[in-house]
Amino acid sequence: MQPWTFDLADHADQPAATVWRQTLARLSLPEATLLPPTDTERHAKPRQRTIGRVTQVITPLGIEITRLTGSPQRIAGRYSAQTDGVWLAILLPEGDTSDGPGATLASNGKSWPLAVGAIGCGPLAADAVLTLPRSFSMLYVRLPRLALHFRLLAPTPLRVGVLDPTPGIRRVLAGCLQSLGQSLEAMDTRQLRAIELALSELLIGCVLSDPAYGGGDPPLNRRIAAMHSLCQLIESELTDPDLTMTAIARKHGISPRGLQKLFAATGQNFSQYLRQRRLARCHDDLASPLSAHLSISEICFRWGFNDAAHFSRSFRQAYDLTPREWRRQATGVVAEE
């Protein structure tokens, strides 16, 4: 897989600001406004042309991973063509580390400093302003709805904010993103499939396991944390074909009615969610080279389905492809039933 690349230096005969805005539009990024260099930068180095370099790869599920290197600028607005999805941004250590004001992320009257290694994130449909007053290198990741776990879209929308790389899973996610930014050109399709799974799960662990994230009301945040814990439990029991709502409620320590109320807040019920997660696991396995030795029936039974015909109908309803068609499209291999 060859990444798409762009370098503003190759278009020196055109207005830098115009070409750069057109480039970001191609990347579905909000509009950028170039900023004058800081006094520190102005005195530290001679005047140079505007910097603007891009390297982008798109994973099989449509996750767009982009490394941006640029002169000082402000990126403001939102990606309105898709209402459900999440973006991540992390400054890479290759950028300018001279003294001076650091990057900031702002949204809805609030602002946060964005230091190297901290992770900015938010929903694609929310307005946000990222101010980069110094030359920078940044990894920007856009995850569409298809690539996201249901837990990141409900029971309440993700808010714009900054995840500090404190010890624990946030540091793991930050390290993953920084390494990805340094290794983007070396990624092949097989490796990108692993990245797809890792990014979504790490993001869930960083955001939804922290009831304080996003500044929501404590009762709402507690409900988010409870739903996250419940979904983790369901995930660990997906392979059980006899899994029931009553059994999950008992293991989670709540009543079946309490479990129903948690799911009602998300617009789903337990059965719908369970089927969705089993289908998603089958969808991943059918596309994975690690499961190439398994037949379609073996995969569907592996994830708790007990009727291959029902599984095939449900899969087609969810993905507009039969399991056989999806496996052939994803791997180029004619599937065995």
mmCIF file of all heavy atoms in Angstrom, residues 73-101:
data_model
loop_
_atom_site.group_PDB
_atom_site.id
_atom_site.type_symbol
_atom_site.label_atom_id
_atom_site.label_comp_id
_atom_site.label_asym_id
_atom_site.label_seq_id
_atom_site.Cartn_x
_atom_site.Cartn_y
_atom_site.Cartn_z
ATOM 1 N N GLN A 73 -0.008 27.731 12.157
ATOM 2 C CA GLN A 73 -1.318 27.881 11.541
ATOM 3 C C GLN A 73 -2.430 27.603 12.540
ATOM 4 O O GLN A 73 -2.192 27.068 13.628
ATOM 5 C CB GLN A 73 -1.470 26.962 10.336
ATOM 6 C CG GLN A 73 -1.303 25.489 10.639
ATOM 7 C CD GLN A 73 -1.210 24.673 9.365
ATOM 8 O OE1 GLN A 73 -2.224 24.225 8.819
ATOM 9 N NE2 GLN A 73 0.018 24.492 8.867
ATOM 10 N N ARG A 74 -3.629 27.963 12.130
ATOM 11 C CA ARG A 74 -4.813 27.687 12.936
ATOM 12 C C ARG A 74 -5.777 26.866 12.072
ATOM 13 O O ARG A 74 -6.125 27.267 10.961
ATOM 14 C CB ARG A 74 -5.481 28.983 13.399
ATOM 15 C CG ARG A 74 -6.743 28.740 14.237
ATOM 16 C CD ARG A 74 -7.372 30.053 14.695
ATOM 17 N NE ARG A 74 -6.506 30.763 15.625
ATOM 18 C CZ ARG A 74 -5.855 31.890 15.338
ATOM 19 N NH1 ARG A 74 -5.983 32.439 14.134
ATOM 20 N NH2 ARG A 74 -5.088 32.470 16.228
ATOM 21 N N ILE A 75 -6.185 25.708 12.575
ATOM 22 C CA ILE A 75 -7.125 24.836 11.868
ATOM 23 C C ILE A 75 -8.452 24.917 12.620
ATOM 24 O O ILE A 75 -8.526 24.547 13.795
ATOM 25 C CB ILE A 75 -6.613 23.387 11.810
ATOM 26 C CG1 ILE A 75 -5.239 23.345 11.110
ATOM 27 C CG2 ILE A 75 -7.602 22.485 11.077
ATOM 28 C CD1 ILE A 75 -4.582 21.972 11.123
ATOM 29 N N ALA A 76 -9.477 25.417 11.950
ATOM 30 C CA ALA A 76 -10.732 25.692 12.652
ATOM 31 C C ALA A 76 -11.927 25.198 11.850
ATOM 32 O O ALA A 76 -11.935 25.214 10.623
ATOM 33 C CB ALA A 76 -10.880 27.191 12.917
ATOM 34 N N GLY A 77 -12.952 24.753 12.592
ATOM 35 C CA GLY A 77 -14.189 24.320 11.955
ATOM 36 C C GLY A 77 -14.533 22.899 12.344
ATOM 37 O O GLY A 77 -14.201 22.427 13.424
ATOM 38 N N ARG A 78 -15.179 22.187 11.436
ATOM 39 C CA ARG A 78 -15.565 20.811 11.698
ATOM 40 C C ARG A 78 -15.721 20.078 10.371
ATOM 41 O O ARG A 78 -15.813 20.685 9.312
ATOM 42 C CB ARG A 78 -16.872 20.735 12.475
ATOM 43 C CG ARG A 78 -18.046 21.380 11.752
ATOM 44 C CD ARG A 78 -19.323 21.216 12.529
ATOM 45 N NE ARG A 78 -20.428 21.940 11.919
ATOM 46 C CZ ARG A 78 -21.697 21.795 12.244
ATOM 47 N NH1 ARG A 78 -22.031 20.939 13.196
ATOM 48 N NH2 ARG A 78 -22.638 22.477 11.645
ATOM 49 N N TYR A 79 -15.773 18.737 10.469
ATOM 50 C CA TYR A 79 -16.010 17.917 9.297
ATOM 51 C C TYR A 79 -17.483 17.552 9.305
ATOM 52 O O TYR A 79 -17.927 16.673 10.031
ATOM 53 C CB TYR A 79 -15.143 16.658 9.357
ATOM 54 C CG TYR A 79 -15.332 15.733 8.186
ATOM 55 C CD1 TYR A 79 -15.133 16.178 6.888
ATOM 56 C CD2 TYR A 79 -15.703 14.412 8.376
ATOM 57 C CE1 TYR A 79 -15.295 15.337 5.813
ATOM 58 C CE2 TYR A 79 -15.876 13.555 7.300
ATOM 59 C CZ TYR A 79 -15.665 14.025 6.022
ATOM 60 O OH TYR A 79 -15.836 13.191 4.957
ATOM 61 N N SER A 80 -18.272 18.279 8.506
ATOM 62 C CA SER A 80 -19.727 18.155 8.586
ATOM 63 C C SER A 80 -20.314 17.122 7.648
ATOM 64 O O SER A 80 -21.503 16.820 7.726
ATOM 65 C CB SER A 80 -20.373 19.516 8.297
ATOM 66 O OG SER A 80 -19.978 19.982 7.024
ATOM 67 N N ALA A 81 -19.509 16.545 6.752
ATOM 68 C CA ALA A 81 -20.053 15.570 5.806
ATOM 69 C C ALA A 81 -20.419 14.257 6.477
ATOM 70 O O ALA A 81 -21.132 13.446 5.914
ATOM 71 C CB ALA A 81 -19.043 15.324 4.683
ATOM 72 N N GLN A 82 -19.922 14.033 7.669
ATOM 73 C CA GLN A 82 -20.213 12.795 8.393
ATOM 74 C C GLN A 82 -20.467 13.136 9.853
ATOM 75 O O GLN A 82 -19.616 13.691 10.527
ATOM 76 C CB GLN A 82 -19.021 11.839 8.271
ATOM 77 C CG GLN A 82 -19.178 10.552 9.055
ATOM 78 C CD GLN A 82 -17.964 9.660 8.850
ATOM 79 O OE1 GLN A 82 -17.832 9.018 7.827
ATOM 80 N NE2 GLN A 82 -17.077 9.635 9.818
ATOM 81 N N THR A 83 -21.664 12.832 10.352
ATOM 82 C CA THR A 83 -22.018 13.257 11.702
ATOM 83 C C THR A 83 -21.477 12.328 12.775
ATOM 84 O O THR A 83 -21.249 12.758 13.897
ATOM 85 C CB THR A 83 -23.542 13.335 11.848
ATOM 86 O OG1 THR A 83 -24.117 12.065 11.510
ATOM 87 C CG2 THR A 83 -24.117 14.400 10.930
ATOM 88 N N ASP A 84 -21.278 11.054 12.461
ATOM 89 C CA ASP A 84 -20.802 10.095 13.459
ATOM 90 C C ASP A 84 -19.367 9.697 13.158
ATOM 91 O O ASP A 84 -19.070 9.195 12.078
ATOM 92 C CB ASP A 84 -21.680 8.846 13.479
ATOM 93 C CG ASP A 84 -23.008 9.087 14.165
ATOM 94 O OD1 ASP A 84 -23.066 9.994 15.021
ATOM 95 O OD2 ASP A 84 -23.976 8.386 13.855
ATOM 96 N N GLY A 85 -18.517 9.940 14.092
ATOM 97 C CA GLY A 85 -17.118 9.598 13.935
ATOM 98 C C GLY A 85 -16.290 10.385 14.929
ATOM 99 O O GLY A 85 -16.790 11.285 15.615
ATOM 100 N N VAL A 86 -15.030 10.058 15.029
ATOM 101 C CA VAL A 86 -14.142 10.646 16.031
ATOM 102 C C VAL A 86 -12.813 11.003 15.368
ATOM 103 O O VAL A 86 -12.346 10.300 14.466
ATOM 104 C CB VAL A 86 -13.895 9.650 17.185
ATOM 105 C CG1 VAL A 86 -12.840 10.178 18.151
ATOM 106 C CG2 VAL A 86 -15.194 9.366 17.930
ATOM 107 N N TRP A 87 -12.220 12.111 15.785
ATOM 108 C CA TRP A 87 -10.870 12.456 15.338
ATOM 109 C C TRP A 87 -9.918 12.468 16.520
ATOM 110 O O TRP A 87 -10.314 12.732 17.666
ATOM 111 C CB TRP A 87 -10.837 13.806 14.611
ATOM 112 C CG TRP A 87 -11.285 14.987 15.440
ATOM 113 C CD1 TRP A 87 -12.526 15.527 15.502
ATOM 114 C CD2 TRP A 87 -10.480 15.763 16.361
ATOM 115 N NE1 TRP A 87 -12.561 16.585 16.380
ATOM 116 C CE2 TRP A 87 -11.320 16.754 16.915
ATOM 117 C CE3 TRP A 87 -9.141 15.709 16.747
ATOM 118 C CZ2 TRP A 87 -10.852 17.671 17.850
ATOM 119 C CZ3 TRP A 87 -8.678 16.629 17.667
ATOM 120 C CH2 TRP A 87 -9.524 17.607 18.214
ATOM 121 N N LEU A 88 -8.649 12.186 16.239
ATOM 122 C CA LEU A 88 -7.566 12.252 17.224
ATOM 123 C C LEU A 88 -6.431 13.077 16.627
ATOM 124 O O LEU A 88 -6.182 13.012 15.422
ATOM 125 C CB LEU A 88 -7.027 10.854 17.551
ATOM 126 C CG LEU A 88 -7.989 9.809 18.097
ATOM 127 C CD1 LEU A 88 -7.287 8.453 18.164
ATOM 128 C CD2 LEU A 88 -8.484 10.209 19.461
ATOM 129 N N ALA A 89 -5.760 13.838 17.460
ATOM 130 C CA ALA A 89 -4.598 14.602 17.001
ATOM 131 C C ALA A 89 -3.531 14.566 18.088
ATOM 132 O O ALA A 89 -3.835 14.766 19.275
ATOM 133 C CB ALA A 89 -4.979 16.047 16.681
ATOM 134 N N ILE A 90 -2.297 14.289 17.693
ATOM 135 C CA ILE A 90 -1.197 14.270 18.658
ATOM 136 C C ILE A 90 0.028 14.907 18.017
ATOM 137 O O ILE A 90 0.379 14.613 16.871
ATOM 138 C CB ILE A 90 -0.888 12.824 19.128
ATOM 139 C CG1 ILE A 90 0.188 12.833 20.224
ATOM 140 C CG2 ILE A 90 -0.484 11.927 17.968
ATOM 141 C CD1 ILE A 90 0.347 11.488 20.925
ATOM 142 N N LEU A 91 0.654 15.841 18.735
ATOM 143 C CA LEU A 91 1.874 16.471 18.252
ATOM 144 C C LEU A 91 3.030 15.489 18.404
ATOM 145 O O LEU A 91 3.181 14.839 19.446
ATOM 146 C CB LEU A 91 2.166 17.746 19.038
ATOM 147 C CG LEU A 91 1.165 18.892 18.844
ATOM 148 C CD1 LEU A 91 1.522 20.059 19.759
ATOM 149 C CD2 LEU A 91 1.135 19.348 17.396
ATOM 150 N N LEU A 92 3.846 15.395 17.373
ATOM 151 C CA LEU A 92 4.974 14.473 17.374
ATOM 152 C C LEU A 92 6.244 15.212 17.794
ATOM 153 O O LEU A 92 6.384 16.415 17.543
ATOM 154 C CB LEU A 92 5.148 13.875 15.976
ATOM 155 C CG LEU A 92 3.921 13.121 15.435
ATOM 156 C CD1 LEU A 92 4.155 12.703 13.986
ATOM 157 C CD2 LEU A 92 3.606 11.916 16.303
ATOM 158 N N PRO A 93 7.182 14.524 18.404
ATOM 159 C CA PRO A 93 8.383 15.195 18.918
ATOM 160 C C PRO A 93 9.284 15.751 17.826
ATOM 161 O O PRO A 93 10.187 16.535 18.114
ATOM 162 C CB PRO A 93 9.094 14.089 19.711
ATOM 163 C CG PRO A 93 8.525 12.814 19.198
ATOM 164 C CD PRO A 93 7.128 13.111 18.781
ATOM 165 N N GLU A 94 9.025 15.409 16.549
ATOM 166 C CA GLU A 94 9.872 15.938 15.480
ATOM 167 C C GLU A 94 9.623 17.416 15.209
ATOM 168 O O GLU A 94 10.364 18.054 14.477
ATOM 169 C CB GLU A 94 9.631 15.183 14.167
ATOM 170 C CG GLU A 94 9.942 13.703 14.229
ATOM 171 C CD GLU A 94 8.709 12.900 14.603
ATOM 172 O OE1 GLU A 94 8.449 12.769 15.809
ATOM 173 O OE2 GLU A 94 8.014 12.413 13.708
ATOM 174 N N GLY A 95 8.543 17.975 15.751
ATOM 175 C CA GLY A 95 8.229 19.386 15.514
ATOM 176 C C GLY A 95 9.188 20.314 16.234
ATOM 177 O O GLY A 95 10.111 19.900 16.932
ATOM 178 N N ASP A 96 8.984 21.613 16.081
ATOM 179 C CA ASP A 96 9.825 22.625 16.710
ATOM 180 C C ASP A 96 9.643 22.582 18.221
ATOM 181 O O ASP A 96 8.526 22.671 18.718
ATOM 182 C CB ASP A 96 9.440 23.999 16.177
ATOM 183 C CG ASP A 96 10.417 25.082 16.617
ATOM 184 O OD1 ASP A 96 11.253 24.803 17.489
ATOM 185 O OD2 ASP A 96 10.333 26.196 16.086
ATOM 186 N N THR A 97 10.719 22.419 18.966
ATOM 187 C CA THR A 97 10.650 22.364 20.428
ATOM 188 C C THR A 97 11.204 23.622 21.083
ATOM 189 O O THR A 97 11.530 23.628 22.272
ATOM 190 C CB THR A 97 11.427 21.139 20.953
ATOM 191 O OG1 THR A 97 12.785 21.212 20.482
ATOM 192 C CG2 THR A 97 10.805 19.844 20.449
ATOM 193 N N SER A 98 11.346 24.723 20.333
ATOM 194 C CA SER A 98 11.856 25.975 20.898
ATOM 195 C C SER A 98 10.868 26.550 21.894
ATOM 196 O O SER A 98 9.693 26.209 21.909
ATOM 197 C CB SER A 98 12.107 26.976 19.760
ATOM 198 O OG SER A 98 10.903 27.248 19.071
ATOM 199 N N ASP A 99 11.384 27.434 22.757
ATOM 200 C CA ASP A 99 10.518 28.055 23.753
ATOM 201 C C ASP A 99 9.477 28.929 23.069
ATOM 202 O O ASP A 99 9.705 29.497 22.007
ATOM 203 C CB ASP A 99 11.348 28.916 24.710
ATOM 204 C CG ASP A 99 12.279 28.072 25.567
ATOM 205 O OD1 ASP A 99 11.943 26.891 25.789
ATOM 206 O OD2 ASP A 99 13.329 28.603 25.986
ATOM 207 N N GLY A 100 8.340 29.080 23.720
ATOM 208 C CA GLY A 100 7.276 29.907 23.155
ATOM 209 C C GLY A 100 5.936 29.279 23.458
ATOM 210 O O GLY A 100 5.844 28.216 24.057
ATOM 211 N N PRO A 101 4.859 29.952 23.055
ATOM 212 C CA PRO A 101 3.531 29.431 23.348
ATOM 213 C C PRO A 101 3.296 28.098 22.654
ATOM 214 O O PRO A 101 3.708 27.875 21.511
ATOM 215 C CB PRO A 101 2.601 30.517 22.787
ATOM 216 C CG PRO A 101 3.417 31.225 21.741
ATOM 217 C CD PRO A 101 4.818 31.187 22.258
#
